[in-house]
Amino acid sequence: MLHLSLIGIGTGNPKHLTLQAVEALGAQDLILIPNKGAGKDDLAGLRQAICAEVLAGVAQPPKIVEFDLPVRDPATADYRQRVDDWHDAIAEVWQATMAAHLPKGGRVGFLVWGDPSLYDSTMRIAERLRARVGMQMQVIPGITSIQALTAAHGVPLNGIGAPVQITTGRRLRDHGWPEGCDTLVIMLDGDCSFQSLEVPEEVMIHWSAYAGMENEINIAGRLSEVQAEILATRASARADHGWIMDIYLLKRLT
């Protein structure tokens, strides 16, 4: 029987791990680390570094295995179908890798960036695997990039008694500012969709790249005043590292 643990690890800072996450990492037989290919190997390296630090005192540390993560097929026009096909392919790779290293079953752990519940598909992929093999699953929460963002800027997430909407750059760009909410958290935005807002002088932005990591970058101010700085800083950081993770909080000032 396979026992799968999806372990939220925060945003790349080993100090973000909860005591529950540390305990779970040490209890595994196998830890699988995805390799996303050239330009993103820093992410695998950060997971390896977290394991090295956390497991240093474990008498029988788990085996750590990297595997190549499949890529989405750009030829599939429908976005949802493209993602579903990709998740199916990842589940197949998981199954093959587990069978190769734990043919009789055992405890397998995945280090999930941030928290497994928030804009992450690890649980969806795990459900595909559970439909194929006998498996038990445990989910361990982690610090999210939203928490790292608000902590970095020293700002509350919400106004008093007010709602917050968490959404994506794609939806902000395609549908504009949602009705009934003055505070937005924007994730998964590769196109800097805040550029599409019509009145940037009426919006406050708190932007962070690599939130919670050693190379964290923070910029805040009226969108009209800091937009150009964010765009230039983001482009430079991506060129330096080969990848970027960023997130931002938008608040209407009127």
Side-chain angles (χ1 to χ4, degrees):
M1 170 73 75
L2 285 171
H3 298 264
L4 179 64
S5 293
L6 306 181
I7 305 168
I9 60 169
T11 59
N13 185 339
K15 294 179 181 179
H16 282 184
L17 268 70
T18 64
L19 295 176
Q20 185 185 20
V22 170
E23 182 179 275
L25 284 171
Q28 304 307 307
D29 300 310
L30 174 68
I31 292 175
L32 296 182
I33 294 179
N35 192 322
K36 296 187 176 183
K40 294 186 178 180
D41 50 359
D42 275 4
L43 298 176
L46 284 167
R47 285 180 168 93
Q48 290 278 10
I50 288 172
C51 288
E53 181 168 332
V54 171
L55 301 174
V58 176
Q60 293 184 318
K63 183 177 183 180
I64 300 174
V65 173
E66 290 192 18
F67 66 95
D68 292 331
L69 195 69
V71 297
R72 280 184 276 190
D73 184 0
T76 304
D78 183 77
Y79 173 77
R80 182 58 184 269
Q81 186 61 54
R82 187 161 67 245
V83 172
D84 283 342
D85 292 344
W86 183 47
H87 289 171
D88 286 339
I90 294 173
E92 291 176 3
V93 172
W94 281 17
Q95 184 176 359
T97 307
M98 292 177 189
H101 294 277
L102 285 180
K104 297 182 180 180
R107 302 184 65 86
V108 185
F110 279 89
L111 281 67
V112 180
W113 216 256
D115 181 87
S117 71
L118 183 62
Y119 284 110
D120 184 272
S121 292
T122 309
M123 282 193 281
R124 297 183 183 92
I125 298 165
E127 288 299 335
R128 284 168 162 78
L129 184 64
R130 184 150 60 177
R132 302 179 185 194
V133 299
M135 184 185 78
Q136 294 180 348
M137 185 172 72
Q138 175 189 31
V139 179
I140 296 172
I143 290 177
T144 70
S145 56
I146 298 174
Q147 293 166 287
L149 168 71
T150 55
H153 289 274
V155 295
L157 181 60
N158 61 289
I160 298 174
V164 175
Q165 182 159 331
I166 303 169
T167 187
T168 65
R170 181 194 298 267
R171 293 193 64 85
L172 180 68
R173 183 187 67 239
D174 293 347
H175 303 286
W177 196 290
E179 293 292 331
C181 190
D182 289 332
T183 303
L184 308 177
V185 176
I186 308 298
M187 304 181 69
L188 304 179
D189 187 7
D191 297 320
C192 298
S193 298
F194 51 75
Q195 298 175 90
S196 66
L197 297 176
E198 295 182 357
V199 282
E201 67 276 5
E202 297 179 5
V203 175
M204 182 76 177
I205 185 170
H206 292 86
W207 175 85
S208 291
Y210 314 108
M213 303 182 198
E214 290 184 358
N215 53 337
E216 178 182 274
I217 307 170
N218 301 303
I219 299 173
R222 287 181 182 265
L223 182 56
S224 58
E225 297 173 357
V226 300
Q227 177 172 293
E229 181 185 0
I230 291 173
L231 292 172
T233 302
R234 188 183 192 279
S236 176
R238 184 169 188 174
D240 289 344
H241 296 280
W243 59 278
I244 192 164
M245 286 185 177
D246 62 338
I247 181 173
Y248 54 95
L249 177 69
L250 298 175
K251 290 193 177 186
R252 280 180 171 153
L253 296 173
T254 57

